[in-house]
Amino acid sequence: MDKKRLLMLVEIAIFAAIGLVLDQVSFKVWAQGGSVSLVMVPIMLIAFRWGIVAGLTTGLLVGVLQTMFGAYIVHWLQGLLDYGVAFTVVGLAAIVRRPLLEAASQLNKTKMALYIIVGTVFAGFLRYAAHTTAGAVFFAEYAGDQNAWIYSIIYNGTYMLPATVLTAIVGALLFTAAPQLMQRKA
């Protein structure tokens, strides 16, 4: 195994663990689940540094770690959606990697912030969609007389919208202040 690949794997492991810690120190919005945290930041950092595959892998590891440390699972498919899919898709923030790294090399902080926000909103929306689908299908009884999909959209939106906005702000501030975080050295 070459040094570059080993470095990538070590960083994936470390940042997945950091993601788990950040999620554990979150602001719990609802007793039934859902919190505002910075869990997406380390996943996106790996996605920006190493690309889509590394980002997806980090997100998947975060989801797996969460299932080991207190996940609420009522059905295997719900667990897969809420933990496996929801955090894995955050790695797709890497779709803006190439223009983001180009903006970073030019030290264009405005463009960097724009690409970070676009990547964050995209990743946050995909995570939100996974949680919403799981909620509508597996937690419909909490909707009462209301449409389960509308209930799940609102319920998951109450924590996913603030979490995505917070992640975009922190990501833009962090990565524009220290653009070297996105550049890998090996």
Side-chain angles (χ1 to χ4, degrees), residues 96 100 108-120 172 176:
V96 298
L100 175 59
N108 186 333
K109 293 185 180 200
T110 303
K111 277 189 176 180
M112 287 175 62
L114 176 67
Y115 289 122
I116 290 163
I117 291 167
V118 168
T120 303
T176 57

Side-chain angles (χ1 to χ4, degrees), residues 10-22 39 42-43 46 57-63 65:
V10 168
E11 286 185 13
I12 287 171
I14 290 170
F15 283 93
I18 290 170
L20 177 68
V21 170
L22 288 174
V39 67
I43 300 168
I46 291 297
T57 304
T58 306
L60 178 61
L61 277 175
V62 168
L65 288 170

